[in-house]
């Protein structure tokens, strides 16, 4: 039963084909999707306008049980974090961010969900909690899309903006992420438009080019975090494979194909990348691409010694960019106090359970095969 595909991985054309192959009219697919995405059914048995036979066949071939939420932090007006346990006991997290106009210049009634795309991450950026424990597996597209449905059900909020900035490198799970985007965008699915979907990447150059060649209009954010190879290489191993000049070329290609301004994310880490020499180099790169810059004051990660620079140093860096004519903002991290950066709640839970306290005493968590 456990390895059945998630029903949330199935797009309309495939579900139509599935119904027709079972001697049912193709429009059954739309009925099923209506139950899933409009009425938010959590059991096939609820789908009362389908025949008993079809409901049984659905249950035999697809998984529908909701993601189980192990932990939740934050409150309605702050960033909220949700730790989910997958069917194989792996842990992922999603972060619900209240209106934050500074984020992408969106209207202030936006509710943004930051979704995970992998369990762990193979890219090992030196400052990131998600990379600390390595990569375990890719999420399937249903597990990605379902994070949105589950957080809406748990929080009572309507999410209208999605960022692929949770755990994992979305472009390293390319096919599943594209399928999830299809389900998130579709009018028969979750129905959030492309322009409200942002994918963040640490810089997988060939995949940025592939994404540029797709007809999708999703937004691209690129984690730069260093404006010269020497600095970027120190904190992001991927820079040895795809250096800054290759990355910037790929970004330029994306921006030109999509007629879109991309965003550079730049974490400010004290005495690593927050000097004025980096600000000057960053301004050159941003101006060349007419890119926006999102400065993110570093969130400390337990066990890592990197620090967030003082407010004065942050402001000095921002001013230097602005004086060079760059459109830059500092993301006021509302979730700093609840460890909002990706992968941190999971890491904390894994560590607590290894020490035999906290979540390990929770029956639903005990026996997880994921404790390394
Ligand atoms: N793998 C993708 C997307 C997930 S990470 C990427 O790297 O872009 C999403 C963003 O969170 C990235 O910009 C990442 O660098 C940033 N991030 C990771 N750890 C952080 C921390 N401790 N404080 C602030 N931002 C962090
Ligand atoms: Fe992976 Fe992104 Fe974290 Fe780097 S910053 S380790 S690419 S999740």
């Amino acid at each position: 039963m456990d390895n059945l595909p998630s029903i949330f991985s199935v797009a309309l054309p495939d579900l139509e084909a599935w119904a027709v192959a079972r001697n049912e009219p193709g429009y059954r697919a739309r009925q099923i999707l209506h139950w899933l995405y409009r009425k938010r059914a959590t059991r096939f048995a609820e789908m009362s306008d389908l025949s008993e036979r079809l409901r049984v066949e659905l249950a035999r071939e697809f998984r529908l049980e909701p993601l189980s939420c192990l932990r939740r932090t934050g409150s309605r007006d702050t960033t909220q974090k949700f730790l989910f346990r997958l069917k194989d006991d792996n842990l992922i997290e999603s972060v619900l961010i209240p209106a934050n106009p500074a984020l992408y210049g969106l209207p202030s009634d936006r509710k943004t969900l930051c979704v995970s795309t992998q369990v762990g991450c193979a890219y090992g950026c030196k400052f990131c909690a998600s990379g600390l424990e390595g990569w375990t597996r890719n999420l399937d597209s249903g597990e990605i899309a379902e994070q949105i449905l589950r957080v809406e059900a748990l929080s009572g909020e309507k999410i209208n903006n999605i960022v692929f900035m949770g755990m994992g490198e979305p472009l390293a799970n390319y096919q599943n992420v594209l399928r999830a985007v299809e389900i998130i965008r579709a009018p028969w699915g979750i129905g959030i438009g492309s322009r409200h979907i942002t994918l963040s990447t640490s810089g997988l150059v060939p995949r940025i080019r592939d994404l540029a060649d797709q007809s999708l209009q999703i937004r691209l954010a690129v984690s730069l975090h260093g404006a010269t190879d020497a600095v970027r290489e120190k904190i992001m191993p991927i820079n040895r494979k795809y250096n800054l000049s290759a990355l910037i070329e790929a970004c330029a290609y994306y921006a030109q194909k999509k007629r879109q301004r991309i965003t550079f994310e730049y974490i400010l880490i004290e005495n690593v990348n927050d000097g004025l020499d980096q600000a000057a180099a960053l301004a050159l790169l941003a101006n060349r691409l007419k890119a926006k810059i999102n400065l993110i004051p570093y969130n400390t990660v337990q066990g890592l010694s990197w620090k967030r620079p003082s407010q004065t140093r942050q402001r000095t860096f921002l001013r230097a960019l602005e004086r060079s004519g760059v459109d830059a903002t500092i993301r006021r991290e509302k979730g700093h106090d609840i460890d909002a950066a990706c992968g941190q709640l999971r890491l904390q839970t894994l560590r607590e359970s290894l020490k035999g306290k906290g979540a390990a005493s929770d029956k639903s968590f005990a026996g997880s095969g994921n404790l390394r």
Side-chain angles (χ1 to χ4, degrees), residues 121-125 127-131 166-169 202 223 225 236 342:
C121 181
Y123 286 83
C125 301
F127 47 80
C128 173
S130 297
M167 200 188 333
E169 168 48 57
S202 59
S223 294
H225 310 333
M236 299 184 72
C342 62

Side-chain angles (χ1 to χ4, degrees), residues 15 35 95 109 138 180 185-186 230 280 356:
L15 199 54
W35 277 106
V95 183
D109 61 344
N138 285 337
R185 292 171 55 221

Side-chain angles (χ1 to χ4, degrees), residues 53-257:
R53 182 184 65 86
L54 197 60
R55 282 183 266 160
V56 169
E57 286 199 43
L58 280 166
R60 204 183 305 138
E61 295 189 39
F62 298 104
R63 189 162 41 80
L64 173 55
E65 79 272 26
L67 287 174
S68 95
C69 181
L70 281 192
R71 267 180 141 179
R72 192 173 162 180
T73 55
S75 59
R76 209 185 148 84
D77 299 322
T78 63
T79 299
Q80 294 182 59
K81 260 189 137 163
F82 300 82
L83 183 74
F84 293 118
R85 189 184 53 192
L86 304 174
K87 60 181 190 301
D88 59 1
D89 287 334
N90 276 305
L91 303 178
I92 55 161
E93 54 193 78
S94 315
V95 183
L96 179 61
I97 307 162
N100 186 346
L103 198 56
Y104 294 100
L106 294 161
S108 56
D109 61 344
R110 294 267 140 217
K111 286 277 188 297
T112 298
L113 190 72
C114 175
V115 295
S116 291
T117 55
Q118 298 183 311
V119 180
C121 181
Y123 286 83
C125 301
K126 300 278 196 281
F127 47 80
C128 173
S130 297
L132 273 182
E133 308 265 320
W135 175 86
T136 304
R137 73 167 174 89
N138 285 337
L139 298 189
D140 66 34
S141 42
E143 289 167 329
I144 299 171
E146 239 200 291
Q147 294 170 55
I148 303 166
L149 304 174
R150 272 309 271 157
V151 169
E152 286 197 339
L154 290 163
S155 67
E157 301 282 5
K158 175 84 192 85
I159 291 161
N160 39 28
N161 198 42
I162 300 297
V163 294
F164 286 92
M165 292 185 186
M167 200 188 333
E169 168 48 57
L171 293 186
N173 184 13
Y174 190 71
Q175 291 304 341
N176 289 334
V177 166
L178 279 193
R179 168 61 70 96
V181 167
E182 181 184 355
I183 291 162
I184 294 168
R185 292 171 55 221
W188 50 257
I190 297 175
I192 298 175
S194 305
R195 286 168 201 280
H196 301 298
I197 302 175
T198 301
L199 184 147
S200 170
T201 178
S202 59
L204 273 73
V205 163
R207 289 308 199 193
I208 293 175
R209 291 179 175 273
D210 290 344
L211 196 62
D213 292 334
Q214 296 277 336
S215 59
L216 280 174
Q217 269 300 341
I218 61 175
R219 295 180 182 274
L220 185 68
V222 174
S223 294
L224 223 50
H225 310 333
T228 55
D229 283 322
V231 169
R232 194 165 190 264
E233 222 165 82
K234 265 195 232 157
I235 48 178
M236 299 184 72
I238 193 176
N239 199 74
R240 284 192 211 110
K241 187 151 188 203
Y242 305 115
N243 67 15
L244 268 174
S245 88
L247 177 56
I248 297 301
E249 287 305 318
C251 292
Y253 181 68
Y254 191 93
Q256 170 248 319
K257 287 277 287 209

